[in-house]
Structure formats: structure tokens, C-alpha cells
Amino acid sequence: MAPGPLIYLDVDGPLIPFGLEPSLYPLFGPSPRDDENPLLGRLDPSHGPRLKALPGELVWATTWLHDANDALAPRLGLPRLPVMDWPEPSDTDEADARIGLHWKTRPLLEHAQNRPFVWVDDEISEIDRDWTSGHHAGPALLHRVDPRHGLTGADYRALGEWLRETRRS
Ligand SMILES: [Mg+2]
């Protein structure tokens, strides 16, 4: 059987919302310890079961790198997940930035190797979608999340539908 879809998951924005007045965010316990990132208080642990229920393989795709497994996974009740290691800066970065291509887009496509994937991020644009459709042979959903609210029920429904549909075809 062909391998199922990958789910690349950004943290800042989709799981840790920002952009509103800080006092407007609900805080979830337990409070971050002094040596932890205070933003962890905004992490709603109910994302864990909802992420786990998505029919695909979760991969951290975030600048939190391995801290996502150390700091977030236990709070979410998730196992340790594979982590995207971002490449060193290269000559193409400047050109990509000029056309507005996100710095994650190229590495994610390289990692996916034409496997179906979902990318959940608050910084996705039409440029990333266009580039992906020209450079990725399999199905791909680049799903932009509003960073003020993070992943919502509507986001989870859209992701679940696309993933189930993609597995069927
Ligand atoms: Mg983000």
C-alpha cells in the first residue's frame, strides 16, 4: 500500500495563537515553569487528541525544532514525532524571498518526496500553493490558519475531510 499522507505542523500560530491583546487569550494549565517558554500557557491541550485523530503522519515543521517534542508533545499527550530539520541558509533563499516563497516550502517538498501531504501554517500564501502545484507530483493541501485563534474546529474538519478523501483516491 502506498504510504499515507504526511501532516507538517507549524507551532507558532496554529497551536500557539498570537496577534490579539495578550489578556484576551485563554490560559491553559499547568502554568509554564520559570524555565519554560511562557507562551506554552496558550497551548490548548485539547489539540492533542484532535491532531492524533487526523488520518496522517504528524511531523513537526517549526522553528521549535526538537523543543516541540520536549515541551509541547507531553502537554498535548502526543508521542515524540519526527522533526523537520531545516537546511542551512543557501543561495536560493534570497531569490525565494524576493518572489515571496516561504522558506519552509522548498524543504517540505524535498522531504515529502511526492507523497501526499498537508502543511498547516499561519504564513502560507498563494505563492507557496502555486510553487507546490508546479513542483510536487502528489496531492498537497497548504492550509493557512489564522494566528489570532490557532487551529479551530473548522480547520480540523477541513483537514480531516481532505485527508480522508486523499487516502481513498
Ligand atoms: Mg507560524
Side-chain angles (χ1 to χ4, degrees), residues 10-16 18 61-63 102 104 120-123 145 147:
D10 178 35
V11 169
D12 293 310
L15 293 180
I16 298 182
F18 62 86
T62 163
T63 51
H102 199 282
K104 290 181 183 174
V120 180
D121 203 298
D122 57 306
E123 294 182 348
V145 172

Side-chain angles (χ1 to χ4, degrees), residues 66-163:
H66 293 272
D67 286 347
N69 275 330
D70 296 333
L72 282 92
R75 285 172 173 262
L76 294 166
L78 291 174
R80 296 182 74 83
L81 302 173
V83 175
M84 271 300 295
D85 268 323
W86 305 111
E88 293 297 314
S90 77
D91 298 344
T92 53
D93 293 353
E94 213 178 303
D96 287 350
R98 254 201 311 273
I99 61 165
L101 189 69
H102 199 282
W103 60 268
K104 290 181 183 174
T105 310
R106 238 179 238 276
L108 288 179
L109 264 63
E110 207 159 294
H111 184 271
Q113 293 288 314
N114 296 322
R115 251 176 96 171
F117 75 87
V118 171
W119 173 22
V120 180
D121 203 298
D122 57 306
E123 294 182 348
I124 289 164
S125 77
E126 279 313 305
I127 293 157
D128 303 300
R129 293 198 178 97
D130 286 350
W131 203 86
T132 299
S133 53
H135 293 82
H136 179 75
L141 174 67
L142 275 59
H143 185 86
R144 188 180 174 276
V145 172
D146 183 341
R148 292 169 303 172
H149 306 291
L151 277 158
T152 62
D155 291 312
Y156 281 109
R157 277 192 295 281
L159 295 170
E161 269 169 35
W162 188 91
L163 286 161

